Amino acid sequence: MTAPANGRTDWLAELRRSINAQSILVPVYAILLALTVAGVVIVLVGSNPFEAYWALLRGMFGSADRINASLGRSTPFIGAALAVAFAFRAGLFNIGAEGQLLVGATSAAWVGTFSFLADVPGPIAIPLIVLAGALGGGLYGGIPGFLKAKTGAHEVITTIMLNNIAILIVRWLVNSQDPLILRDTSASVPRTAELPDSARLPEVISTSPPLHLGFFIAIALCALVWFILRRTTFGFVVRTVGTNANAAKYAGMGVNSTIIAVMALSGAFAGVAGAGEITGTSGFLSPGTFLGIGFDAIAIALLARANPYAIIRTSLLWGAMLAGAGLMQQDSGLSINAVRIVQALVLLFVAADVIVRTIFRVRREGTTALETTQLTSGWGSAT
Amino acid sequence: MTSWRFGRRQTLGVIFGLVGLFLVGYVAPNLEKLDKGLTFEPPPDPLKVVVDPPVTVTAIGIVFVLVAIATFFERRNAKLASGALVLGTLLFIPLVLVLALALSTSRDTNVMQLLVESLRLGTPIALGAMAGLWCERSGVVNIGIEGMMLASACTGFLTYAVVGDANTTSALWLGIGVAIFTGALLALLHAVLSVSFRVDQIISGVVINLLALGLTGFLRSEVLLDTGITGGVPTGDIEVPLLSEIPIVGEQLFTNQPIFFAMLAIVAGTGWVLFRTAFGLRVRAVGEHPHAAETLGIDPIRIRYKAVVIGGCIAGLGGAWFSMESQGGFQDNMTNGAGFIALAALNFGKWRPATAFAGAMLFGFTRALGSRLQILDVTIGDFSIPSEFLQSLPYVVTIVVVAGAIGRALAPAADGVPYERSR
């Protein structure tokens, strides 16, 4: 173990660095700019942007229930974004969070229907289910890692293909009646059997979607990733591989085994997020859930600049916007896709911070983690 | 001294050998001895080749074993080894067809139609791959092709619907023009972000994809729904004079839709411009070594802008294929990953137009094959292959191809590296 005192100051320093004026100002201005540009689009289709944004804001934080729903909605994004961010740190671009999350959720839904789980108490059943999610997601994330390490197949392509395969195979597993695999025949719509009550993650506050214990598990995962990256030898190897794979190789680090381990761990984080949604929110899996969550995860990880702490607040904002979009649609009749436009624009203005810095005259100080890790190191040059 | 080594080709050889032995020893003896036909024309009275499944499968199995043996003589005759692997890979096509027929109740299946369908379904992939080729040859990675295609599909059809109620020809052409323009516009955004502002090119691509998803969904529900138009008339067939007179092939292949022909022209044109003209040489020089290019008086920034926007136009045409040629209409996320498959085809084709086109056609073929197998209702024992498995075929083949057959791809040297002028 490292010296606790040192570790603590380091932890605080990291936290302080993640909320300094620099890193807060640019996103805030970016959000303002995004809202302005999206407002123009809203005006063009003949709606009132102020009305829409006011409804959106009330939808996000308008009452205690709404705040809880926003927190609940953002829970899966934390784990999924963590999966993307962790891979970023090793110079890998994991677009496969969606597939990994889905496979994790399916494993959790499958293990959750084992009959013995109904007889054991929650503290035993729930960890088993979450572990199943981690294993499923981890294995599915390990495939592209293995392929990259052994054959050089680029993870951007393999993870996207694996997403599509996961969606199709899970649809078959849940829909199929002959042979009957995961489908609950007593339900009117295709879905898996419901988890026994004892195997459900306790809800902290019952809203829709509920704020369940998974939210705190996700935050703990963020702390874990921070610890791995900053306090362990493995984390050091991961960051070295991410900054300069050739240097890592020259220093005798196992670049290939690191790639496999990072992708598997990455998948496991997404898998836990999927399992959390199964045992915490729905209690079963229906095909078509989690569609598109992979791109949300990428956007969040990029906005947070792959910083585990920043992921928490970015996910909260992201989830809250989606949770609030419903009320905006109800009140102003505007499609919830308006929120999607705002989100894309926020990412645009944060990525191209030159625009924001020029308009609002924010000076540049130092560099952030992602700027030292060039993501696009080319197609075949990671090893 | 051994005269052979164990590398990638030998691994593939062993796989071929095992598959061959399995075919000869297990699959062929268990197939029904019932003649099946491979036809090449629509009925009535088509050109037909009658095959006997067990004999054909045995023959292909033996060839696979020979391919395996050939790979172990790579040192003595490298051309023989690689030629054998190509032959073995191509033989998978008749193998799958004969096996599918043998395991189905149908008596015959139209091969020519399958090939034409492959070309049709490969069209957007090939266009996407050409778009990517232009960008990446100039040193700009573009994972936003998916978003460019989606946005173009939307704006193109929207124009078609608003201007011409989705059934007049002039509005259709206008729609295709708007689609191309949309692709160019998004490409310009990509260029501004990644070339001028030197934003990480992957981030810029993700921004374009997200923006396209949001904007198209918004436009569909706010504008397209209000017009009340749900579908339209897609592009009509064009008959190419002379070529369409060729027996068997002509009528089925050269009576086809305009974007299909445009795709063929763009693939040929891309190859010619990139590898036979001064402009193409400049693009490739900037993609390999921008500093050296600038020393020779080429402006890398300007070249990258041009290449990225050309790519965007091609991607826009690819988008038009979805909403105005394949079908008349727009649904949310209708490109469904085609832009990414196009990148895989580009990767497979090692950044060369002809091979990237071949890659695109391979994916077109797997998709066409998937739906054909679904129609044939292939059953192994009592197990009818689920449609989801057949639909995932292109994705599985993509992974196998990217991981197995091609080895480490050689991207342009400066691909993905933002260019900063030397002072």
Side-chain angles (χ1 to χ4, degrees), chain A residues 41-42 45 47 88 93 95 143 147-154 156-158 160-162 164-165 168-169 171-172 175 178-179 256 295-296 298-299 302 318 333-338 340-341 343-345 347-348 351-355 370 373-380 383, chain B residues 8 136 141-143 189 193 197 199-204 206-207 209-223 332 336-337 340-341 343-345 347 351 383 386-389 391-396 398-399 402-404 407-409 411-412 415-418:
Chain A
V41 178
I42 294 173
V45 297
S47 296
F88 271 154
F93 192 23
I95 308 194
I143 298 172
L147 289 174
K148 169 117 185 175
K150 294 292 170 200
T151 71
H154 201 275
V156 165
I157 290 169
T158 48
I160 290 170
M161 298 304 136
L162 286 168
N164 289 319
I165 294 170
L168 286 163
I169 299 301
R171 195 166 81 196
W172 174 67
N175 276 343
D178 178 35
N256 282 342
F295 267 106
D296 288 318
I298 294 166
L302 290 175
W318 205 264
L334 207 59
S335 147
I336 52 169
N337 283 301
R340 290 281 175 200
I341 297 179
Q343 289 178 333
L345 288 172
L347 182 62
L348 175 106
D353 57 356
V354 187
I355 306 174
L370 216 68
T373 313
Q374 183 77 38
L375 296 176
T376 342
S377 51
W379 285 100
T383 44
Chain B
R8 181 183 293 271
E136 301 210 356
V141 168
N142 187 354
I143 68 163
L189 174 66
L193 288 177
F197 292 158
V199 170
D200 188 301
Q201 298 171 0
I202 293 240
I203 299 186
S204 170
V206 171
V207 166
N209 286 338
L210 275 177
L211 200 60
L213 266 178
L215 268 177
T216 55
F218 186 76
L219 283 175
R220 193 189 60 79
S221 49
E222 296 295 321
V223 184
D332 282 347
N336 204 10
F340 293 110
I341 296 186
L343 285 181
N347 203 317
W351 288 267
F383 184 69
S387 63
E388 285 89 355
F389 283 28
Q391 284 165 25
S392 63
L393 201 60
Y395 310 121
V396 175
T398 305
I399 292 179
V402 171
R408 281 174 207 273
D415 206 4
V417 187

Side-chain angles (χ1 to χ4, degrees), chain B residues 126-196:
Chain B
L127 286 170
M130 290 307 122
L133 187 74
W134 272 101
C135 295
E136 301 210 356
R137 274 291 181 175
S138 78
V140 181
V141 168
N142 187 354
I143 68 163
I145 292 174
E146 169 82 5
M148 294 180 189
M149 295 215 279
L150 183 65
S152 312
C154 179
T155 56
F157 184 75
L158 204 61
T159 311
Y160 185 26
V162 170
V163 175
D165 290 335
N167 60 15
T168 50
T169 320
S170 52
L172 179 63
W173 289 108
L174 183 69
I176 292 176
V178 168
I180 294 172
F181 181 70
T182 308
L185 216 58
L186 282 178
L188 197 62
L189 174 66
H190 186 53
V192 169
L193 288 177
S194 60
V195 179
S196 294

Side-chain angles (χ1 to χ4, degrees), chain A residues 13-39:
Chain A
E14 176 92 1
L15 193 66
R16 206 175 299 132
R17 211 177 308 141
S18 85
I19 51 175
N20 65 13
Q22 255 296 297
S23 59
I24 292 287
L25 271 184
V26 172
V28 167
Y29 286 142
I31 291 170
L32 279 179
L33 212 53
L35 288 173
T36 316
V37 176

